Amino acid sequence: MVALRLTRAGRPAVQFRRLLVAAASAGTGFLLLGALGHALGHPGTAGAALRLAWCVVPVAATVYFAPAVARTDPGTRPRPGLSAVGLGPARLTLVSVLTTALATVLGSLLALLFFLHLRGDLSGLPFDRAGRQFLAAGRPFPVPAALTLLAVVPVLACAAVGLALRPRRDPRPARRRVVRGLGGHTDTAAPRETFGAYGRFGARARAGAVAAEPGPGTTAVGTVPAPGDGSGTPEARTGTATEAPDDHAPQDPADGDPLAGDRAPEDERGDDDASLLADEPTREVPAGLPWGVAALAAGLAAQAYGGPALSVRALTALPAEATTVLIGWAVTAFGLVLAAPGLTYLCGQLTQAVRPGALRLLAGRGLMAEAVRIGRPLGVVCAVGSAAYALTVLYRGPAASFGPLALLGAGVVVGCTVATLLTAAVEARQDRAGTTAALVRLGAPRSMLRGAALLRAGVLVVVFGALALLIAELAALPGTR
Amino acid sequence: MDAPPDNDVLWARSLHFTHRDGSPGIAGISLGVREGEILAVCGPRGSGKTTLLRCLSGQVRPDQGEIWFNSAPTHTLGPVARERLRRDRYGWIDPAPVLVPELNAWENAALPLMLRGTGRRRAKAAALEWLERLDVGERARRRPRSLTLAERQRVCVARALAGGPTVLFADEPTAPLHRADRAHALRTLTTAARSHGITVVLATHDSETAALADRTVSLLDGRRVKTVHLPETTETEGRAAWSLSV
């Protein structure tokens, strides 16, 4: 009941996002039923299985979209008040799963109704029996099969939402979200040792001293090796530290952010060495870029190897060598998704490089901070876009054989991925609402904040648009030669 | 209300404000802030301190009443002009430190200057100078999340002071801090304000904090009250207010 109440009380934008999930679920369900109808109409042909296999793509897109919407749902976000009365993260996960189930089941039911209507089983409406031959109207309708197919999307979407929003062992405040996985936040308890941290200058030299001394003021570069340095006296003479030790000793481990205490030694080591040379060592760099590029190259190579003279006539009647090409496409898409966060981070870094003003600083750093959240869906959109482009280049059949079902599938996939990207942007904006309000209180012009957002979007569009075009051209090259 | 003296940098007359949900904010508050003084706006929680500061700093528009800054009305200005006023003339310190998480400490402190269009080098120099003065200079390259709460709040103070505001609004700047940090932050804030001639409007519910100010304006339930006697011991916040006579 709580789920229903919370669902009903949403604002229009929230309801719109939920309706989008329902629409995606409806489209996917109709595609699945369409495959079923085709199989009923043409028993014993090989195309049916292939049709059903193609439905995996829209199903995946829908299941990818559902958690993104669930994450931005304000009704299912942990709230202090609700948590105090016992509606904590665990129950809220259940609530968001139920909300997703509601939307997807609604979509599936719509798909079923429309399917039955097109078959002519429900009469009295326009387009009655419009798809009679196509959807095997004359044959009895296998209800269990249809229900099984229609249950696929709700079950998978609910599982994905539950997995993405499952309560974590140690929920930390949003400030500490360092690495965001596909869903939720995975933050490691101990600071991770980044690449090259072991060999960094002076990283090991004072490890013993740091472990012995709790006070942070005693680990500066110019520490005079006092006799009592290792024995933990707070009065150790320091070269550069200006703060009085008594100012900090009581507050550091106990006060405020409880993480400051267990992070302190690592930070002191990493930062004080480098502080004169560079800014804070970047810990948020998404790691997938090299792997992504490798996968991208491998996928393109597989496509080039597999299909030197491939031309698609119909998606349901692929030649034998198309398997290699399809595997190549999958690997390419995977590589894009892996590489996109790193690329986004690079875009941000380039935006704020070389003496930035406030605009470029806010735009670039924002991009760097949101690299994973924005980058993943952006990579997916990029992969879908380049696939669509390459497919239109490779396609040599008559124009009419891009049937309505193929168009519907393409629409579902493109719509879901783009909507996921936009939802991720909404999520990022929701996360930054507090910061934006503080900036406005400072008197930051709203035009500048909008300009920063536009700059961010523009850089991403230029870079990723070029990347998608490049990949699509490379992928289509063997086929068009 | 007596006639405003010439040296009032900020002057408000019979301010009324009702929140959007209809709950009463402030009702008929008049006050003048003299140039270079530290004015404490004192009162228990819910007495309208934050609302008054938000009205005075131009973040919200009062329903009725006038606000004059440097002999020019600000209650008639549009949102863009008030935004520019906040950027160029005012400083603001939140009760809890709200820093831009992806900028490091000195970039945060230099942000108001950069927003004004000051060159990066000059903004950085000013920010670093203030951070040094507030004892967070050696953490200038850290991100906010690796700073303690007290350090973050000091970065906020530095951010407000680095722009060299005419009036600095501090809305309970020491609320989340322990007493040692609280005294330190307040001391630096008041010292900096006095040495640079910055007018400070300081909201607080703490009579110890109010003692640092030149003058105290007491609020109760959105109205200005005259203090007869503040008791020495305040065990719970708000108890002091009940011994006020209106």
mmCIF file with all atom_site columns, all heavy atoms in Angstrom, chain B residues 57-74:
data_model
loop_
_atom_site.group_PDB
_atom_site.id
_atom_site.type_symbol
_atom_site.label_atom_id
_atom_site.label_alt_id
_atom_site.label_comp_id
_atom_site.label_asym_id
_atom_site.label_entity_id
_atom_site.label_seq_id
_atom_site.pdbx_PDB_ins_code
_atom_site.Cartn_x
_atom_site.Cartn_y
_atom_site.Cartn_z
_atom_site.occupancy
_atom_site.B_iso_or_equiv
_atom_site.pdbx_formal_charge
_atom_site.auth_seq_id
_atom_site.auth_comp_id
_atom_site.auth_asym_id
_atom_site.auth_atom_id
_atom_site.pdbx_PDB_model_num
ATOM 1   N N   . SER B 1 57 ? 19.863 39.983 2.583  1.00 0.00 ? 57 SER B N   1
ATOM 2   C CA  . SER B 1 57 ? 20.883 39.729 1.566  1.00 0.00 ? 57 SER B CA  1
ATOM 3   C C   . SER B 1 57 ? 20.280 39.593 0.179  1.00 0.00 ? 57 SER B C   1
ATOM 4   O O   . SER B 1 57 ? 20.992 39.276 -0.770 1.00 0.00 ? 57 SER B O   1
ATOM 5   C CB  . SER B 1 57 ? 21.659 38.466 1.913  1.00 0.00 ? 57 SER B CB  1
ATOM 6   O OG  . SER B 1 57 ? 20.801 37.360 1.887  1.00 0.00 ? 57 SER B OG  1
ATOM 7   N N   . GLY B 1 58 ? 18.963 39.788 0.073  1.00 0.00 ? 58 GLY B N   1
ATOM 8   C CA  . GLY B 1 58 ? 18.368 39.791 -1.250 1.00 0.00 ? 58 GLY B CA  1
ATOM 9   C C   . GLY B 1 58 ? 18.128 38.428 -1.835 1.00 0.00 ? 58 GLY B C   1
ATOM 10  O O   . GLY B 1 58 ? 17.898 38.297 -3.034 1.00 0.00 ? 58 GLY B O   1
ATOM 11  N N   . GLN B 1 59 ? 18.185 37.368 -1.015 1.00 0.00 ? 59 GLN B N   1
ATOM 12  C CA  . GLN B 1 59 ? 17.880 36.048 -1.567 1.00 0.00 ? 59 GLN B CA  1
ATOM 13  C C   . GLN B 1 59 ? 16.391 35.864 -1.755 1.00 0.00 ? 59 GLN B C   1
ATOM 14  O O   . GLN B 1 59 ? 15.955 35.172 -2.674 1.00 0.00 ? 59 GLN B O   1
ATOM 15  C CB  . GLN B 1 59 ? 18.409 34.967 -0.632 1.00 0.00 ? 59 GLN B CB  1
ATOM 16  C CG  . GLN B 1 59 ? 19.905 34.861 -0.644 1.00 0.00 ? 59 GLN B CG  1
ATOM 17  C CD  . GLN B 1 59 ? 20.379 33.879 0.391  1.00 0.00 ? 59 GLN B CD  1
ATOM 18  O OE1 . GLN B 1 59 ? 19.738 32.902 0.677  1.00 0.00 ? 59 GLN B OE1 1
ATOM 19  N NE2 . GLN B 1 59 ? 21.530 34.152 0.963  1.00 0.00 ? 59 GLN B NE2 1
ATOM 20  N N   . VAL B 1 60 ? 15.614 36.430 -0.841 1.00 0.00 ? 60 VAL B N   1
ATOM 21  C CA  . VAL B 1 60 ? 14.162 36.427 -1.033 1.00 0.00 ? 60 VAL B CA  1
ATOM 22  C C   . VAL B 1 60 ? 13.697 37.867 -0.931 1.00 0.00 ? 60 VAL B C   1
ATOM 23  O O   . VAL B 1 60 ? 14.395 38.732 -0.405 1.00 0.00 ? 60 VAL B O   1
ATOM 24  C CB  . VAL B 1 60 ? 13.440 35.565 0.026  1.00 0.00 ? 60 VAL B CB  1
ATOM 25  C CG1 . VAL B 1 60 ? 13.776 34.122 -0.147 1.00 0.00 ? 60 VAL B CG1 1
ATOM 26  C CG2 . VAL B 1 60 ? 13.771 36.033 1.413  1.00 0.00 ? 60 VAL B CG2 1
ATOM 27  N N   . ARG B 1 61 ? 12.518 38.077 -1.456 1.00 0.00 ? 61 ARG B N   1
ATOM 28  C CA  . ARG B 1 61 ? 11.977 39.422 -1.456 1.00 0.00 ? 61 ARG B CA  1
ATOM 29  C C   . ARG B 1 61 ? 10.971 39.538 -0.320 1.00 0.00 ? 61 ARG B C   1
ATOM 30  O O   . ARG B 1 61 ? 10.098 38.672 -0.200 1.00 0.00 ? 61 ARG B O   1
ATOM 31  C CB  . ARG B 1 61 ? 11.259 39.622 -2.781 1.00 0.00 ? 61 ARG B CB  1
ATOM 32  C CG  . ARG B 1 61 ? 11.463 40.972 -3.358 1.00 0.00 ? 61 ARG B CG  1
ATOM 33  C CD  . ARG B 1 61 ? 10.932 40.933 -4.743 1.00 0.00 ? 61 ARG B CD  1
ATOM 34  N NE  . ARG B 1 61 ? 10.660 42.280 -5.175 1.00 0.00 ? 61 ARG B NE  1
ATOM 35  C CZ  . ARG B 1 61 ? 10.542 42.600 -6.437 1.00 0.00 ? 61 ARG B CZ  1
ATOM 36  N NH1 . ARG B 1 61 ? 10.653 41.663 -7.345 1.00 0.00 ? 61 ARG B NH1 1
ATOM 37  N NH2 . ARG B 1 61 ? 10.314 43.824 -6.785 1.00 0.00 ? 61 ARG B NH2 1
ATOM 38  N N   . PRO B 1 62 ? 11.051 40.543 0.520  1.00 0.00 ? 62 PRO B N   1
ATOM 39  C CA  . PRO B 1 62 ? 10.057 40.664 1.587  1.00 0.00 ? 62 PRO B CA  1
ATOM 40  C C   . PRO B 1 62 ? 8.694  41.002 1.004  1.00 0.00 ? 62 PRO B C   1
ATOM 41  O O   . PRO B 1 62 ? 8.593  41.640 -0.045 1.00 0.00 ? 62 PRO B O   1
ATOM 42  C CB  . PRO B 1 62 ? 10.614 41.799 2.448  1.00 0.00 ? 62 PRO B CB  1
ATOM 43  C CG  . PRO B 1 62 ? 11.499 42.570 1.549  1.00 0.00 ? 62 PRO B CG  1
ATOM 44  C CD  . PRO B 1 62 ? 12.072 41.592 0.583  1.00 0.00 ? 62 PRO B CD  1
ATOM 45  N N   . ASP B 1 63 ? 7.638  40.541 1.699  1.00 0.00 ? 63 ASP B N   1
ATOM 46  C CA  . ASP B 1 63 ? 6.288  40.848 1.231  1.00 0.00 ? 63 ASP B CA  1
ATOM 47  C C   . ASP B 1 63 ? 5.989  42.337 1.366  1.00 0.00 ? 63 ASP B C   1
ATOM 48  O O   . ASP B 1 63 ? 5.349  42.931 0.513  1.00 0.00 ? 63 ASP B O   1
ATOM 49  C CB  . ASP B 1 63 ? 5.261  40.052 2.040  1.00 0.00 ? 63 ASP B CB  1
ATOM 50  C CG  . ASP B 1 63 ? 5.492  38.567 1.907  1.00 0.00 ? 63 ASP B CG  1
ATOM 51  O OD1 . ASP B 1 63 ? 6.043  38.165 0.876  1.00 0.00 ? 63 ASP B OD1 1
ATOM 52  O OD2 . ASP B 1 63 ? 5.147  37.820 2.829  1.00 0.00 ? 63 ASP B OD2 1
ATOM 53  N N   . GLN B 1 64 ? 6.439  42.886 2.473  1.00 0.00 ? 64 GLN B N   1
ATOM 54  C CA  . GLN B 1 64 ? 6.283  44.323 2.694  1.00 0.00 ? 64 GLN B CA  1
ATOM 55  C C   . GLN B 1 64 ? 7.577  44.842 3.286  1.00 0.00 ? 64 GLN B C   1
ATOM 56  O O   . GLN B 1 64 ? 8.344  44.089 3.857  1.00 0.00 ? 64 GLN B O   1
ATOM 57  C CB  . GLN B 1 64 ? 5.172  44.598 3.707  1.00 0.00 ? 64 GLN B CB  1
ATOM 58  C CG  . GLN B 1 64 ? 3.768  44.398 3.190  1.00 0.00 ? 64 GLN B CG  1
ATOM 59  C CD  . GLN B 1 64 ? 2.791  44.584 4.327  1.00 0.00 ? 64 GLN B CD  1
ATOM 60  O OE1 . GLN B 1 64 ? 2.954  45.493 5.124  1.00 0.00 ? 64 GLN B OE1 1
ATOM 61  N NE2 . GLN B 1 64 ? 1.804  43.720 4.399  1.00 0.00 ? 64 GLN B NE2 1
ATOM 62  N N   . GLY B 1 65 ? 7.740  46.150 3.206  1.00 0.00 ? 65 GLY B N   1
ATOM 63  C CA  . GLY B 1 65 ? 8.884  46.747 3.863  1.00 0.00 ? 65 GLY B CA  1
ATOM 64  C C   . GLY B 1 65 ? 9.958  47.164 2.882  1.00 0.00 ? 65 GLY B C   1
ATOM 65  O O   . GLY B 1 65 ? 9.883  46.858 1.684  1.00 0.00 ? 65 GLY B O   1
ATOM 66  N N   . GLU B 1 66 ? 10.921 47.889 3.395  1.00 0.00 ? 66 GLU B N   1
ATOM 67  C CA  . GLU B 1 66 ? 11.975 48.431 2.552  1.00 0.00 ? 66 GLU B CA  1
ATOM 68  C C   . GLU B 1 66 ? 13.326 47.970 3.058  1.00 0.00 ? 66 GLU B C   1
ATOM 69  O O   . GLU B 1 66 ? 13.531 47.802 4.260  1.00 0.00 ? 66 GLU B O   1
ATOM 70  C CB  . GLU B 1 66 ? 11.950 49.962 2.593  1.00 0.00 ? 66 GLU B CB  1
ATOM 71  C CG  . GLU B 1 66 ? 10.638 50.552 2.132  1.00 0.00 ? 66 GLU B CG  1
ATOM 72  C CD  . GLU B 1 66 ? 10.627 52.042 2.349  1.00 0.00 ? 66 GLU B CD  1
ATOM 73  O OE1 . GLU B 1 66 ? 11.680 52.588 2.720  1.00 0.00 ? 66 GLU B OE1 1
ATOM 74  O OE2 . GLU B 1 66 ? 9.577  52.650 2.165  1.00 0.00 ? 66 GLU B OE2 1
ATOM 75  N N   . ILE B 1 67 ? 14.232 47.774 2.125  1.00 0.00 ? 67 ILE B N   1
ATOM 76  C CA  . ILE B 1 67 ? 15.619 47.490 2.479  1.00 0.00 ? 67 ILE B CA  1
ATOM 77  C C   . ILE B 1 67 ? 16.480 48.442 1.661  1.00 0.00 ? 67 ILE B C   1
ATOM 78  O O   . ILE B 1 67 ? 16.335 48.518 0.432  1.00 0.00 ? 67 ILE B O   1
ATOM 79  C CB  . ILE B 1 67 ? 16.007 46.036 2.153  1.00 0.00 ? 67 ILE B CB  1
ATOM 80  C CG1 . ILE B 1 67 ? 15.084 45.062 2.881  1.00 0.00 ? 67 ILE B CG1 1
ATOM 81  C CG2 . ILE B 1 67 ? 17.439 45.767 2.549  1.00 0.00 ? 67 ILE B CG2 1
ATOM 82  C CD1 . ILE B 1 67 ? 15.235 43.654 2.427  1.00 0.00 ? 67 ILE B CD1 1
ATOM 83  N N   . TRP B 1 68 ? 17.335 49.150 2.330  1.00 0.00 ? 68 TRP B N   1
ATOM 84  C CA  . TRP B 1 68 ? 18.206 50.087 1.633  1.00 0.00 ? 68 TRP B CA  1
ATOM 85  C C   . TRP B 1 68 ? 19.639 49.667 1.880  1.00 0.00 ? 68 TRP B C   1
ATOM 86  O O   . TRP B 1 68 ? 20.027 49.397 3.008  1.00 0.00 ? 68 TRP B O   1
ATOM 87  C CB  . TRP B 1 68 ? 17.993 51.510 2.143  1.00 0.00 ? 68 TRP B CB  1
ATOM 88  C CG  . TRP B 1 68 ? 16.648 52.055 1.802  1.00 0.00 ? 68 TRP B CG  1
ATOM 89  C CD1 . TRP B 1 68 ? 15.464 51.649 2.313  1.00 0.00 ? 68 TRP B CD1 1
ATOM 90  C CD2 . TRP B 1 68 ? 16.364 53.096 0.874  1.00 0.00 ? 68 TRP B CD2 1
ATOM 91  N NE1 . TRP B 1 68 ? 14.438 52.357 1.758  1.00 0.00 ? 68 TRP B NE1 1
ATOM 92  C CE2 . TRP B 1 68 ? 14.954 53.262 0.885  1.00 0.00 ? 68 TRP B CE2 1
ATOM 93  C CE3 . TRP B 1 68 ? 17.142 53.896 0.041  1.00 0.00 ? 68 TRP B CE3 1
ATOM 94  C CZ2 . TRP B 1 68 ? 14.329 54.200 0.084  1.00 0.00 ? 68 TRP B CZ2 1
ATOM 95  C CZ3 . TRP B 1 68 ? 16.505 54.839 -0.750 1.00 0.00 ? 68 TRP B CZ3 1
ATOM 96  C CH2 . TRP B 1 68 ? 15.117 54.976 -0.733 1.00 0.00 ? 68 TRP B CH2 1
ATOM 97  N N   . PHE B 1 69 ? 20.404 49.613 0.816  1.00 0.00 ? 69 PHE B N   1
ATOM 98  C CA  . PHE B 1 69 ? 21.825 49.312 0.939  1.00 0.00 ? 69 PHE B CA  1
ATOM 99  C C   . PHE B 1 69 ? 22.599 50.486 0.359  1.00 0.00 ? 69 PHE B C   1
ATOM 100 O O   . PHE B 1 69 ? 22.385 50.852 -0.807 1.00 0.00 ? 69 PHE B O   1
ATOM 101 C CB  . PHE B 1 69 ? 22.165 48.030 0.185  1.00 0.00 ? 69 PHE B CB  1
ATOM 102 C CG  . PHE B 1 69 ? 23.633 47.764 0.067  1.00 0.00 ? 69 PHE B CG  1
ATOM 103 C CD1 . PHE B 1 69 ? 24.365 47.375 1.177  1.00 0.00 ? 69 PHE B CD1 1
ATOM 104 C CD2 . PHE B 1 69 ? 24.289 47.916 -1.142 1.00 0.00 ? 69 PHE B CD2 1
ATOM 105 C CE1 . PHE B 1 69 ? 25.714 47.136 1.083  1.00 0.00 ? 69 PHE B CE1 1
ATOM 106 C CE2 . PHE B 1 69 ? 25.636 47.682 -1.244 1.00 0.00 ? 69 PHE B CE2 1
ATOM 107 C CZ  . PHE B 1 69 ? 26.350 47.299 -0.132 1.00 0.00 ? 69 PHE B CZ  1
ATOM 108 N N   . ASN B 1 70 ? 23.451 51.107 1.172  1.00 0.00 ? 70 ASN B N   1
ATOM 109 C CA  . ASN B 1 70 ? 24.223 52.269 0.726  1.00 0.00 ? 70 ASN B CA  1
ATOM 110 C C   . ASN B 1 70 ? 23.324 53.318 0.086  1.00 0.00 ? 70 ASN B C   1
ATOM 111 O O   . ASN B 1 70 ? 23.580 53.815 -1.008 1.00 0.00 ? 70 ASN B O   1
ATOM 112 C CB  . ASN B 1 70 ? 25.309 51.854 -0.282 1.00 0.00 ? 70 ASN B CB  1
ATOM 113 C CG  . ASN B 1 70 ? 26.562 51.412 0.445  1.00 0.00 ? 70 ASN B CG  1
ATOM 114 O OD1 . ASN B 1 70 ? 26.702 51.656 1.644  1.00 0.00 ? 70 ASN B OD1 1
ATOM 115 N ND2 . ASN B 1 70 ? 27.456 50.766 -0.273 1.00 0.00 ? 70 ASN B ND2 1
ATOM 116 N N   . SER B 1 71 ? 22.223 53.599 0.745  1.00 0.00 ? 71 SER B N   1
ATOM 117 C CA  . SER B 1 71 ? 21.279 54.621 0.304  1.00 0.00 ? 71 SER B CA  1
ATOM 118 C C   . SER B 1 71 ? 20.644 54.310 -1.038 1.00 0.00 ? 71 SER B C   1
ATOM 119 O O   . SER B 1 71 ? 20.272 55.218 -1.776 1.00 0.00 ? 71 SER B O   1
ATOM 120 C CB  . SER B 1 71 ? 21.949 56.002 0.218  1.00 0.00 ? 71 SER B CB  1
ATOM 121 O OG  . SER B 1 71 ? 22.669 56.252 1.391  1.00 0.00 ? 71 SER B OG  1
ATOM 122 N N   . ALA B 1 72 ? 20.527 53.036 -1.364 1.00 0.00 ? 72 ALA B N   1
ATOM 123 C CA  . ALA B 1 72 ? 19.814 52.660 -2.583 1.00 0.00 ? 72 ALA B CA  1
ATOM 124 C C   . ALA B 1 72 ? 18.877 51.515 -2.219 1.00 0.00 ? 72 ALA B C   1
ATOM 125 O O   . ALA B 1 72 ? 19.265 50.626 -1.464 1.00 0.00 ? 72 ALA B O   1
ATOM 126 C CB  . ALA B 1 72 ? 20.794 52.205 -3.670 1.00 0.00 ? 72 ALA B CB  1
ATOM 127 N N   . PRO B 1 73 ? 17.651 51.580 -2.718 1.00 0.00 ? 73 PRO B N   1
ATOM 128 C CA  . PRO B 1 73 ? 16.721 50.515 -2.344 1.00 0.00 ? 73 PRO B CA  1
ATOM 129 C C   . PRO B 1 73 ? 17.082 49.204 -3.026 1.00 0.00 ? 73 PRO B C   1
ATOM 130 O O   . PRO B 1 73 ? 17.419 49.186 -4.217 1.00 0.00 ? 73 PRO B O   1
ATOM 131 C CB  . PRO B 1 73 ? 15.367 51.039 -2.839 1.00 0.00 ? 73 PRO B CB  1
ATOM 132 C CG  . PRO B 1 73 ? 15.709 51.964 -3.943 1.00 0.00 ? 73 PRO B CG  1
ATOM 133 C CD  . PRO B 1 73 ? 17.030 52.572 -3.603 1.00 0.00 ? 73 PRO B CD  1
ATOM 134 N N   . THR B 1 74 ? 17.028 48.109 -2.266 1.00 0.00 ? 74 THR B N   1
ATOM 135 C CA  . THR B 1 74 ? 17.277 46.798 -2.879 1.00 0.00 ? 74 THR B CA  1
ATOM 136 C C   . THR B 1 74 ? 16.005 45.980 -2.966 1.00 0.00 ? 74 THR B C   1
ATOM 137 O O   . THR B 1 74 ? 15.991 44.966 -3.650 1.00 0.00 ? 74 THR B O   1
ATOM 138 C CB  . THR B 1 74 ? 18.310 46.002 -2.077 1.00 0.00 ? 74 THR B CB  1
ATOM 139 O OG1 . THR B 1 74 ? 17.754 45.725 -0.793 1.00 0.00 ? 74 THR B OG1 1
ATOM 140 C CG2 . THR B 1 74 ? 19.585 46.758 -1.899 1.00 0.00 ? 74 THR B CG2 1
#
